[in-house]
Amino acid sequence: GSAGDPNIPDHITLWGLRLKICQTLDQYANVRPARLLPGIKGPLAGVTAEDLDWVIVRENSEGEYAGAGGRAHVGLPEEVGLDVSIFTRVGVERIQRFAFELAQSRPRKKLTLVTKSNAQRHGMVFWDSVFERIKSDYPDVETDKMLVDAMTTRMVLDPKSLDTVVATNLHADVLSDLAAALTGSLGIAPTGNLRPERDMPSMFEPIHGSAFDITGKGVANPIGTFWSSAMMLEHLGETEAASRLMSAIERVTADGSVLPRDLGGTATTRQVTDAVLGALAAGNV
């Protein structure tokens, strides 16, 4: 679940908990599915579930979130703050190969690389060059490349042209929030922080973060947590349980009578939870 406190700066809770877990356990593959669930109408007119079914793969251990940098001359007119992106060949190649293998497992077998190599001529060009070098190892995967600013336009205007996407830690973080909004709400979006080698634990969570304006009101959307749980079950090899949970979620969204307010309904967190539990208990999902 999301963690935070309105009295603690976000960068303290992020670096003290989530990033501490992901980097210490080297959970380098962040996987963020985005698709229109049954009954959910996204903001894009005429876009169907067949048009918008993506998986965004985010490098999760280095890049813009490597933690390199600092501040000097604090409080003085010449104060400076510095963050340095770090891209290693090991880090870039392993996340790109993970994305290629994921694309191979999906029906369309298509992978889009997102960088900003026209302006960031070192790290981003490095990402491009690694991609060019390894893509011949996956001849069954169709590939293309986009600059991150142009990618936001493509996601809105031509969603059906996309399938699997791979990008840096920062770029994929931003793009996955846009993807969640295009599928109806940030409240439904799941994520898995994976250690693909399985020699250390993986971690699963909704992507929405903490929402201090609704804390304690009982109106938060629990679907992102449930979907993340389905991803966890699948990762653990409990495919039948994962399928049952995902089917229960989809039955509730398709029915449309019990939806949280961020999806246009009036249901509380408890009511949505009870509806999903009811769908599971029905035994035919």
Side-chain angles (χ1 to χ4, degrees), residues 10 32 44-45 66 72 96 104 108 118 129 134 147 190 222 228 253 257 277:
D10 285 345
R32 298 189 165 188
L44 300 180
Q96 291 187 4
Q104 280 182 320
R108 295 181 60 197
N118 61 340
S129 66
I134 70 172
L147 298 176
S228 299
T253 60
S257 62
L277 290 173

Side-chain angles (χ1 to χ4, degrees), residues 49-63:
E50 290 72 29
D51 297 329
L52 205 169
D53 184 357
W54 308 328
V55 178
I56 296 176
V57 176
R58 171 188 178 189
E59 200 290 314
N60 206 37
S61 64
E62 54 178 39

Side-chain angles (χ1 to χ4, degrees), residues 16-248:
L17 185 61
R18 185 192 175 278
L19 291 182
K20 187 73 170 178
I21 293 171
C22 293
Q23 293 183 352
T24 302
L25 298 177
D26 203 16
Q27 298 167 346
Y28 62 84
N30 182 272
V31 179
R32 298 189 165 188
R35 61 183 175 89
L36 284 171
L37 296 177
I40 302 300
K41 188 174 182 180
L44 300 180
V47 173
T48 67
E50 290 72 29
D51 297 329
L52 205 169
D53 184 357
W54 308 328
V55 178
I56 296 176
V57 176
R58 171 188 178 189
E59 200 290 314
N60 206 37
S61 64
E62 54 178 39
E64 303 90 346
Y65 296 180
R71 291 171 66 180
H73 311 300
V74 177
L76 299 177
E78 63 270 25
E79 182 175 356
V80 60
L82 184 68
D83 281 291
V84 179
S85 298
I86 296 177
F87 302 107
T88 65
R89 182 171 294 279
V90 168
V92 174
E93 182 167 335
R94 69 182 180 178
I95 194 61
Q96 291 187 4
R97 288 191 180 278
F98 177 90
F100 269 109
E101 291 167 10
L102 181 59
Q104 280 182 320
S105 72
R106 288 170 58 81
R108 295 181 60 197
K109 300 185 187 303
K110 180 176 174 61
L111 178 62
T112 300
L113 171 71
V114 177
T115 63
K116 186 60 179 171
S117 50
N118 61 340
Q120 296 175 297
R121 56 183 177 157
H122 302 300
M124 296 289 90
V125 172
F126 178 43
W127 262 71
D128 288 351
S129 66
V130 171
F131 193 79
E132 287 299 317
R133 183 176 62 82
I134 70 172
K135 71 179 185 180
S136 61
D137 293 341
Y138 307 90
D140 56 331
V141 177
E142 178 187 351
T143 63
D144 64 346
K145 296 189 296 183
M146 293 291 295
L147 298 176
V148 65
D149 46 340
M151 183 63 168
T152 61
T153 303
R154 183 174 170 186
M155 289 169 69
V156 173
L157 298 182
D158 194 13
K160 63 180 177 294
S161 71
L162 297 168
D163 180 41
T164 309
V165 176
V166 63
T168 70
N169 214 327
L170 176 62
H171 291 164
D173 191 8
V174 175
L175 293 176
S176 58
D177 276 17
L178 173 58
L182 296 178
T183 58
S185 170
L186 202 63
I188 67 173
T191 188
N193 303 283
L194 303 183
R195 173 65 180 174
E197 290 80 0
R198 297 173 181 265
D199 54 350
M200 287 183 281
S202 296
M203 178 174 67
F204 301 82
E205 58 181 339
I207 78 168
H208 51 62
S210 301
F212 303 135
D213 58 322
I214 60 172
T215 299
K217 296 182 179 179
V219 297
N221 185 346
I223 291 177
T225 299
F226 297 156
W227 194 346
S228 299
S229 300
M231 292 181 66
M232 178 184 70
L233 289 166
E234 185 172 1
H235 178 76
L236 294 172
E238 299 288 348
T239 54
E240 181 181 351
S243 178
R244 289 188 63 225
L245 177 54
M246 202 66 223
S247 295

Side-chain angles (χ1 to χ4, degrees), residues 252-272:
V252 170
T253 60
D255 176 79
S257 62
V258 185
L259 292 178
R261 68 182 192 180
D262 59 314
L263 292 176
T266 59
T268 64
T269 308
R270 180 75 262 171
Q271 288 169 332
V272 177

